[in-house]
Amino acid sequence: MITGADLFIGLAHNLAIFIALVAVYGAVIDRIGNLVGLRRQLVLGLSFGVFAVGCMYAKIPAAEGVVVDQRNAVVILSGAFGGPLSAVLSAGLAAIVRFQLGGIGVVGGITGLALSAIAGSVMHRYLRNRLSTGPIALGAFAAVLFVLPGFLL
């Protein structure tokens, strides 16, 4: 298990990716503010997909043979903020990279991405007009519970 400075550096890399994601999301929304529907979801899905792949390279070794990254969280956010097509695109990009990396965790990784896309899409559908803390926190908790079975594979 990783501890100390290496753990801190791994967490800092993941935090930096999320900070960059927020900045890029803001810039993209400013540029595509008048786009609606599938075009908007396409642009957001590709943007979030690039960050999901980036998260895969800022991994944190949790234990021997177990690597943690935040790609599932990025895919959920892609669905929640972009919609179903956005979630599928970002999950698809990350799944292609995960498949090419190989290893024994391919099935679990791709399953987790698929579950994340579903969870993000459901959050987009049901939480779009509920912008208070309670429903969003409950939706995030439900998304985590929904994605957890993917880690069993």
Side-chain angles (χ1 to χ4, degrees):
M1 182 157 166
I2 183 172
T3 59
D6 290 335
L7 177 62
F8 179 77
I9 290 170
L11 292 171
H13 286 155
N14 275 273
L15 180 59
I17 288 174
F18 273 105
I19 291 169
L21 175 62
V22 169
V24 168
Y25 176 77
V28 168
I29 288 299
D30 285 344
R31 295 252 174 162
I32 66 165
N34 58 355
L35 280 180
V36 293
L38 296 180
R39 287 184 182 169
R40 178 184 175 94
Q41 290 189 49
L42 176 68
V43 171
L44 289 174
L46 293 174
S47 300
F48 277 88
V50 168
F51 280 95
V53 170
C55 283
M56 294 169 71
Y57 291 99
K59 53 191 174 222
I60 303 167
E64 188 173 333
V66 177
V67 176
V68 177
D69 60 44
Q70 298 302 315
R71 66 179 164 231
N72 291 334
V74 172
V75 171
I76 290 171
L77 290 173
S78 176
F81 287 105
L85 178 61
S86 177
V88 168
L89 282 174
S90 61
L93 283 173
I96 289 168
V97 172
R98 181 62 189 99
F99 182 76
Q100 291 199 349
L101 289 174
I104 61 172
V106 170
V107 173
I110 292 175
T111 302
L113 288 166
L115 292 172
S116 298
I118 293 168
S121 299
V122 169
M123 286 181 73
H124 179 76
R125 169 76 170 96
Y126 290 107
L127 296 178
R128 185 177 355 183
N129 298 322
R130 296 179 180 95
L131 298 179
S132 61
T133 306
I136 291 173
L138 186 61
F141 181 70
V144 168
L145 290 180
F146 185 75
V147 173
L148 278 177
F151 293 109
L152 296 176
L153 298 175

